[in-house]
Amino acid sequence: MAISSVLLTGANGSLAIPAVHHLLSTHPDITAILTVRNPSASSDPNTQRLQATIAPFKDRVSLRALDLANLPAVHDFARSLASEIASGTVPPLASIICNAFYWNLTGPPELTSDGYEKTFQINHLAHAALILRLLTSCVSNARILLFSSDAHYPGKNSLEKYPPSLPDVEETGEGQVNIDSLVHPRDIKANDDPLGHGFHRYAVSKLAIIAWMYALNRRLHAAAGDEGDSSDHRLKGGVTAIAVNPGNLSDSRALRVNTPTSIKIMSRGGCGRVGSWGDYSHAEGYFTLRKKDESSPESKDEKKQELLWRKTLEWTGIGAEDTVLAL
C-alpha cells in the first residue's frame, strides 16, 4: 500500500521515463503523480512511451495534464492536488521533482499566455508556484528537487556566448537593468543570434533556480525552527530543497527540439551520460550529479536571492494565504 507520493513534472522526458520506471519498480510504497502538457497526445511518441512504462503500475500512478506555460492552470493544479492530499485521496508528498524545462535556441524570445518569457516561466516561475502551494502537502523530511545546469556558472559551458547574470536593482536608469527584464525581455529579432541569446535565457533561468533555492531553504529552516520541529503545524519538519546539475544526456529530446542542426549533430557524439538520481536524504544545496558542489558566486549573493524571491512571488501571484512560509 502506498504511504507517500512523488510529484514529477515533465514526466515524458528522456531522463524522466527511466527514473519513473526505477521509482515504481523499487519503491512499492510510493504513488507517482506524473505531469505532462497533454497526457492524451496519441501522436507524441514520448507520451506513448511513458504510458507503456507505467502500465504495469497503473494502481500507483496518476498521469495528469499540467501546462507550465499557463500560471492559472498551475495554481489550479496545485490547489486541486493539495485538496486531494488533505482528504486522504492521494498520499502526502515525499518529494516534488521539478524536471520539466524549456529552451529555444533557434528563434526570438517567446511569451506565454501570462505575458512572461517562456523559458523563465517554465523553468523557474511555474515550479516555484507549485512548490510554495504544496509545502503543506509534504511529509516530514520531504525533498524538493530542482534541476539546474553548469550553464548557470559563467565560463563553464561551451555554448555560452553571453554570461548569465541576475539584475540586482529594481529601478531603471543609466547603466542599470530592471529585474523585470527576466520576464519581459528586450525585443530580439529572430536573426539576431538566436543561439547565443536563447542559451543565455536558459542559463539565466538555471541561475535563478539555484538563487531561489537558497532563499527557499532559509525560509524552510526558519519555519521548522532550530530543533527541526515545525513551528507551524501545517508544515512538517525537515523539508529541504536541492538543485542538481544532472550533466549532459546525449539522447535527450531537448537536443532535438528548438535546437540548431550543428548542436544536434554534436550531441550525438559529444555529450556524456547523465548520472543517476540519488537518494539525497537530508540533503540541501547545490549538487553536480550525486556530489555536493559549489554553485556560482552570484547564485550565493543573498541580496539577489532575496530580490528574486520577492519578484517571484509577485510574478506568480503567490500571497501569504497561498503558502505556509513567511514571505
Side-chain angles (χ1 to χ4, degrees), residues 20-42:
V20 166
H21 183 266
H22 176 76
L23 175 71
L24 293 170
S25 299
T26 59
H27 293 82
D29 57 344
I30 290 289
T31 289
I33 303 167
L34 310 176
T35 77
V36 294
R37 190 162 53 89
N38 185 356
S40 61
S42 58

Side-chain angles (χ1 to χ4, degrees), residues 23 67 79-80 91 100 111-112 122 140 155 164 175 187 208 231-232 269 292 300:
L23 175 71
D67 184 359
R79 277 191 292 260
S80 177
L111 299 182
T112 67
I122 290 178
S140 298
D187 182 31
S231 59
D232 188 310
K292 194 76 164 61
K300 299 177 184 179

Side-chain angles (χ1 to χ4, degrees), residues 102-110 117 119 188-199 201 257-260:
Y102 183 82
W103 70 10
N104 187 346
L105 309 185
T106 61
E110 303 165 271
E117 197 280 310
T119 299
I188 299 174
K189 297 179 180 179
N191 61 352
D192 184 14
D193 195 7
L195 172 57
H197 289 297
F199 191 78
R201 292 191 295 274
V257 179
N258 297 332
T259 307

Side-chain angles (χ1 to χ4, degrees), residues 255-286:
L255 296 171
R256 311 286 181 261
V257 179
N258 297 332
T259 307
T261 301
S262 59
I263 295 180
K264 295 177 184 178
I265 295 173
M266 178 184 69
S267 69
R268 293 181 185 130
C271 294
R273 294 291 301 185
V274 69
S276 61
W277 292 5
D279 176 21
Y280 301 114
S281 294
H282 308 291
E284 63 178 272
Y286 179 69

Side-chain angles (χ1 to χ4, degrees), residues 5 12 30 53 63 117 139 156 173 240 245 272 312:
S5 58
N12 59 353
I30 290 289
T53 298
L63 182 59
E117 197 280 310
V139 302
K156 286 203 171 184
T240 58
N245 165 25
T312 296

Side-chain angles (χ1 to χ4, degrees), residues 7 15 56 72 76 96 102 135 138 145 171 178 189 206 211 226 257 283 289 295 302 308 311 320 324-325:
L7 171 62
L15 178 61
D76 288 344
I96 301 172
Y102 183 82
L135 286 173
C138 292
L145 177 57
E171 67 275 15
N178 191 330
K189 297 179 180 179
K206 295 300 185 178
D226 293 337
V257 179
L289 304 181
S295 61
E302 192 166 324
L308 178 64
K311 295 299 291 187
V324 67
L325 296 182

Side-chain angles (χ1 to χ4, degrees), residues 44-66:
D44 187 341
N46 301 291
T47 302
Q48 293 173 6
R49 183 183 167 203
L50 174 63
Q51 291 170 336
T53 298
I54 64 178
F57 312 97
K58 59 182 180 180
D59 294 338
R60 294 191 290 116
V61 179
S62 176
L63 182 59
R64 306 187 180 199
L66 177 58

